């Protein structure tokens, strides 16, 4: 099937770009098969054909895919990017995960994080981010909030580098 | 002038393809599925020199040769056909997932670069700054069409 590209000049993330208090979250998602039980908020990498997984080995994130924001069969296929109560919801192994590949997403800190730092997978809990030493080719994004403790939820500008 | 549109989360097409496109000028004859780089102001081209892809632009998805229609999932077998000749406008997909052609065998989830064939991808030793994306399928040899997550780094 052929498609004609739509005109698409500028976009503003968030519910209403005119309201400064609205979280600036959102982006483009793609479907991938979950290689294991994944959680909303996990950073994931491409692990096999059309498949993503998580790990506490940063080197695996050389093939960073994005952030899990939902599942095709989870919450009726809705994405949950700004409801902190939904961060951590399970996308079961073998099902279709919705992975946000660009924009700004909510992620979970693996330890304390300084705002503005480049972040990647942390060493402790798979799917969580930390601002450990910069390693070219393995970074997932930039921390837009600070985290004080492991488990804190912060916003990340998705930017593989 | 434009007012930016509210935009939370956009899902790719059911086939898991598509993304944003820009219109550039073709610096040479380009085919659908070619990975291209910025070679001059507003101009894209392809090359066998991986270093040129430090200025990676994206993947050619349409042009006058396709009546400016693109077929991201390639069910009509358009990938590999001519999209534009030098000086013509060409549509370049800059993010999301696109179909590309391999220059040689490629492993799934490999980090892709351009090597031996202009515009086609391979998975040689990674050179930071010249990578164009991640293979979402395996290719057994040259000229195999695979989906690529566009991810320059």
């Amino acid at each position: 099937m052929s498609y004609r590209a739509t005109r698409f000049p500028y976009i503003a993330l968030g519910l209403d770009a005119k309201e400064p208090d609205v979280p600036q979250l959102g982006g483009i998602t793609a479907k991938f098969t979950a290689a294991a039980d994944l959680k909303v908020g996990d950073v994931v990498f491409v692990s096999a054909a059309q498949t993503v997984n998580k790990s506490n080995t940063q080197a695996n994130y050389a093939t960073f895919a994005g952030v899990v924001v939902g599942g095709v069969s989870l919450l009726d296929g809705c994405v949950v990017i700004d409801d902190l109560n939904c961060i951590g919801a399970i996308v079961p192994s073998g099902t279709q995960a919705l992975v946000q590949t660009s924009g700004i997403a909510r992620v979970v800190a693996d330890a304390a994080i300084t705002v503005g730092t480049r972040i990647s997978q942390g060493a402790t809990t798979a799917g969580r981010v930390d601002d450990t030493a910069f390693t070219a080719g393995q970074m997932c994004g930039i921390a837009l909030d600070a985290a004080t403790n492991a488990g804190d939820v912060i916003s990340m500008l998705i930017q593989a580098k | 002038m434009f007012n930016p549109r509210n935009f939370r989360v956009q899902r790719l097409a059911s086939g898991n393809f598509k993304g944003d496109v820009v219109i550039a000028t073709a610096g040479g004859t380009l085919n659908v599925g070619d990975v291209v780089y910025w070679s001059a102001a507003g101009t894209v081209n392809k090359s066998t020199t991986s270093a040129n892809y430090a200025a990676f632009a994206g993947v050619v998805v349409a042009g006058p040769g396709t009546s400016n229609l693109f077929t991201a999932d390639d069910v009509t077998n358009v990938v590999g056909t001519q999209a534009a000749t030098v000086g013509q406008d060409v549509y370049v997909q800059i993010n999301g997932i696109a179909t590309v052609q391999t220059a040689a065998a490629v492993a799934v989830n490999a980090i892709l670069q351009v090597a031996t064939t202009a515009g086609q991808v391979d998975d040689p030793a990674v050179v930071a700054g010249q990578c164009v994306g991640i293979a979402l399928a395996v290719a057994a040899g040259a000229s195999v069409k695979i989906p690529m997550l566009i991810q320059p780094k």
Side-chain angles (χ1 to χ4, degrees), chain A residues 1-3 5 10-13 15-17 26-31 46-47 49-50 62-64 81-82 137 160, chain B residues 2 4-12 14 16 18 20-21 69-71 75 97 108-109 111 134 136 147 151 153:
Chain A
M1 177 180 290
S2 298
Y3 302 92
Y10 281 89
I11 55 174
L13 303 181
L15 289 169
D16 189 335
I28 295 175
T29 71
K31 292 182 301 182
V46 178
S47 62
Q50 304 284 1
T63 57
F64 172 62
I81 55 175
D82 58 352
Chain B
F2 302 95
R5 299 177 184 178
N6 297 331
F7 185 73
R8 305 215 62 203
V9 175
Q10 180 189 44
R11 183 171 157 183
L12 297 180
S14 57
N16 221 24
K18 297 186 186 177
D20 296 335
V21 300
L69 298 173
F70 65 93
T71 56
V75 294
I97 297 174
V108 69
N109 83 346
I111 299 171
I134 297 171
L136 298 181
Q151 190 180 93
K153 62 181 176 182

Side-chain angles (χ1 to χ4, degrees), chain A residues 52-136:
Chain A
V52 293
N53 204 348
K54 61 180 177 179
S55 158
N56 60 3
T57 301
Q58 183 180 315
N60 286 330
Y61 286 78
T63 57
F64 172 62
V67 178
V68 175
V69 292
V72 172
S73 58
L74 175 70
L75 300 170
D76 293 328
C78 294
V79 295
V80 284
I81 55 175
D82 58 352
D83 178 354
L84 299 184
N85 292 325
C86 290
I87 297 289
I90 300 291
V91 179
S93 176
T95 66
Q96 295 278 290
L98 292 173
V99 177
Q100 186 178 333
T101 61
S102 66
I104 298 175
R106 292 282 202 205
V107 294
V108 182
D110 201 32
I113 290 173
T114 303
V115 65
T117 54
R118 292 198 176 279
I119 53 181
S120 185
Q121 169 62 47
T124 305
T125 304
R128 292 186 174 188
V129 296
D130 199 0
D131 56 357
T132 49
F134 176 86
T135 303

Side-chain angles (χ1 to χ4, degrees), chain B residues 51-138:
Chain B
N52 286 333
Y53 287 82
F56 174 62
V59 178
V60 172
V61 290
T66 67
S67 301
N68 295 324
L69 298 173
F70 65 93
T71 56
D73 50 5
D74 201 37
V75 294
T76 51
N77 202 32
V78 168
V79 170
T81 63
Q82 183 175 297
T85 57
V86 61
Q88 292 184 319
D89 284 349
V90 63
Y91 283 79
V92 179
Q93 185 178 333
I94 58 173
N95 60 25
I97 297 174
T99 301
V100 296
Q101 287 197 97
T102 60
V106 166
V108 69
N109 83 346
I111 299 171
L112 300 174
Q113 298 171 228
V114 172
T116 56
T117 303
Q120 297 188 358
V121 296
D122 199 354
D123 58 355
V126 169
V127 178
Q130 299 176 11
C131 304
V132 298
I134 297 171
L136 298 181
V138 67

